[in-house]
Amino acid sequence: MRANVPQLKLKWLFLGYLITNTGSSFIWPLTTIYMHEYLHESLTVAGIVLLFNSLFMVAGSIIGGRLFDTWREDVTILTGIVLVTVSTGLLIVFHGWPAYPLLLIVSGFGNGMTVTAINGFATRVTSKRASFIFNVMYFIQNLGLVFGTLAVGFILPMGITYIFAIAFIMYVLFLGIAWFEYRGKNRPNKARASKQKTKLHLERPVLAVLLTLVLVWVFYEQWQSNISAYMLAQGLTVRDYSFLWTVNAVLIVVFQPVLTFLDDWLTKHLHGRLYFGFVLLAVSFIMLIGAKQYFLFVASMSVLTLGEIIALPAVATFVDQFASQDQKGRYQGFVQSCASLGRAIGPLIGALLIEATSYRLLFIAATVIIILSTGLFGLSNLPSRVREK
């Protein structure tokens, strides 16, 4: 059946993913600053808006995955891109209250559909191993984040309208690429008709790795929310905190191609790669317990980043091994929605835990919970056998 599936060229897959991640990086990092400083809303309100944005992204991922498998793959991604493009275009004119949060939520839903569909198309490419493709896509995702956040720093002083206008132009460009290159890249009608007979059944290893992914993102999000306040309380500066993300970006840009080069070896040791990466993520929080000197924060961020690039791209590869040909979109939708769910609830969970106890207990909880969930994932793998393709 695979031989009859029209192939999407890798360059269009990667370019679409770069545009999507760069465009979204123009918008979401501004939410808290824009709502608090320009719309004069409280930080709590900004947090609630971000929560709903992430939740609608989860919904978009799940629905997009379902539509990708049971409807038309090209129409699914075009629908997602249109939603993001239209909502971003409207933000150029309507970026007051309550239009801004409402359009942001629509954009999140469309973005969830789009990213899931791109991942679905990635599983169809047969010219390269799936693990290689997901490694490159993870690199591109972070490259888009670097491009977007750096550009915002230069463009925002010119006015918020320019931010939305540039993001809108980028999405229009992707819509054109999708219309000419993604359209028609569907499975044969016979395959689409038969897939509705297949019941969705997530095996224990898949459930375990998805649970671990949610928990990892819950605690990873502390770096983007609560740890900044912790660093300031230790006498460090905002510039010190910002530099940590430069370290994060540099390590990803340097080491992700190395992992891609070692793809064959890493694929043979996929389970070990996941275990090692998750453990590194847990260890990064051990290093924060009692941290006061800046070098400890740099070291922790370095270990966190290495764990991130080792484990997180491998989750999509691992889950794909369990997906039948007619369920690949839904499986990738689960990966995207679990990551979005962790990002959505992470800042709130961290804030509640800190207020009830302390930062120290937050770091201990992060270490213990990630280790325990990794152990659960390991136990679930013992009796498993990956389905033959």
Side-chain angles (χ1 to χ4, degrees):
M1 184 184 75
R2 274 196 165 196
N4 298 324
V5 179
Q7 290 289 298
L8 176 67
K9 292 182 179 178
L10 275 178
K11 64 179 180 181
W12 300 120
L13 178 76
F14 293 153
L15 180 59
Y17 203 55
L18 178 63
I19 293 173
T20 297
N21 284 283
T22 304
S24 63
S25 297
F26 267 75
I27 297 174
W28 67 260
L30 288 174
T31 300
T32 300
I33 296 173
Y34 180 67
M35 290 189 63
H36 188 58
E37 300 295 332
Y38 293 81
L39 299 183
H40 307 293
E41 298 292 336
S42 67
L43 291 174
T44 301
V45 171
I48 292 172
V49 170
L50 281 172
L51 174 64
F52 275 94
N53 175 257
S54 296
L55 291 177
F56 271 80
M57 192 175 294
V58 170
S61 297
I62 294 174
I63 293 173
R66 178 68 177 174
L67 292 177
F68 188 89
D69 288 333
T70 60
W71 191 31
R72 286 178 59 94
E73 296 91 326
D74 54 359
V75 179
T76 299
I77 194 168
L78 285 168
T79 302
I81 300 170
V82 166
L83 286 173
V84 178
T85 305
V86 171
S87 58
T88 306
L90 289 173
L91 280 171
I92 298 173
V93 181
F94 305 105
H95 45 261
W97 183 270
Y100 176 77
L102 291 176
L103 290 172
L104 195 71
I105 287 171
V106 174
S107 175
F109 182 85
N111 196 51
M113 287 187 67
T114 302
V115 172
T116 296
I118 292 176
N119 278 15
F121 277 110
T123 65
R124 302 280 179 75
V125 178
T126 56
S127 59
K128 295 286 185 180
R129 196 194 304 267
S131 57
F132 172 87
I133 294 172
F134 285 121
N135 279 338
V136 175
M137 288 176 69
Y138 198 79
F139 172 77
I140 290 173
Q141 175 186 339
N142 286 280
L143 196 63
L145 176 63
V146 171
F147 286 161
T149 52
L150 280 177
V152 164
F154 291 100
I155 299 171
L156 183 59
M158 300 167 59
I160 192 72
T161 302
Y162 289 95
I163 297 288
F164 298 136
I166 294 174
F168 172 71
I169 292 171
M170 295 184 70
Y171 286 127
V172 169
L173 174 62
F174 187 26
L175 183 59
I177 291 172
W179 180 262
F180 289 105
E181 299 297 336
Y182 287 68
R183 193 162 56 97
K185 302 298 189 298
N186 298 304
R187 280 168 295 184
N189 291 331
K190 183 178 179 181
R192 290 206 302 273
S194 65
K195 61 178 168 274
Q196 298 187 17
K197 300 176 183 179
T198 306
K199 290 184 72 174
L200 181 66
H201 173 68
L202 296 180
E203 298 184 38
R204 281 182 297 177
V206 174
L207 291 172
V209 80
L210 291 177
L211 172 63
T212 305
L213 183 65
V214 172
L215 294 172
V216 162
W217 274 111
V218 164
F219 292 111
Y220 190 106
E221 279 299 299
Q222 305 313 309
W223 277 100
Q224 299 191 32
S225 54
N226 299 307
I227 289 179
S228 58
Y230 178 70
M231 290 181 64
L232 294 177
Q234 304 304 315
L236 299 171
T237 65
V238 173
R239 180 176 295 180
D240 292 330
Y241 172 72
S242 299
F243 179 72
L244 291 177
W245 292 107
T246 303
V247 172
N248 175 270
V250 169
L251 288 173
I252 289 173
V253 170
V254 170
F255 282 100
Q256 192 69 53
V258 174
L259 296 185
T260 302
F261 178 75
L262 298 173
D263 180 65
D264 287 343
W265 186 85
L266 290 171
T267 300
K268 293 176 184 176
H269 303 85
L270 183 60
H271 290 198
R273 174 182 179 178
L274 286 163
Y275 302 147
F276 183 60
F278 289 145
V279 168
L280 282 180
L281 287 160
V283 169
S284 70
F285 288 97
I286 294 178
M287 301 169 70
L288 290 175
I289 300 173
K292 295 182 190 251
Q293 296 87 357
Y294 186 55
F295 79 89
L296 288 174
F297 289 97
V298 175
S300 176
M301 172 58 83
S302 301
V303 174
L304 178 89
T305 305
L306 291 176
E308 171 189 358
I309 62 178
I310 290 171
L312 298 190
V315 172
T317 305
F318 179 82
V319 169
D320 182 59
Q321 290 184 329
F322 288 86
S324 59
Q325 288 299 316
D326 59 349
Q327 295 179 337
K328 287 184 177 292
R330 275 178 283 183
Y331 272 67
Q332 292 305 316
F334 289 132
V335 174
Q336 296 301 317
S337 60
C338 285
S340 297
L341 178 62
R343 294 189 195 104
I345 63 178
L348 180 60
I349 289 177
L352 292 173
L353 188 56
I354 292 164
E355 289 178 0
T357 57
S358 64
Y359 280 99
R360 179 185 177 85
L361 191 60
L362 170 67
F363 301 145
I364 293 172
T367 303
V368 172
I369 290 174
I370 293 174
I371 290 292
L372 287 177
S373 64
T374 303
L376 178 65
F377 170 51
L379 290 174
S380 73
N381 269 320
L382 291 178
S384 71
R385 292 289 184 272
V386 176
R387 183 182 298 131
E388 293 290 334
K389 300 299 178 69

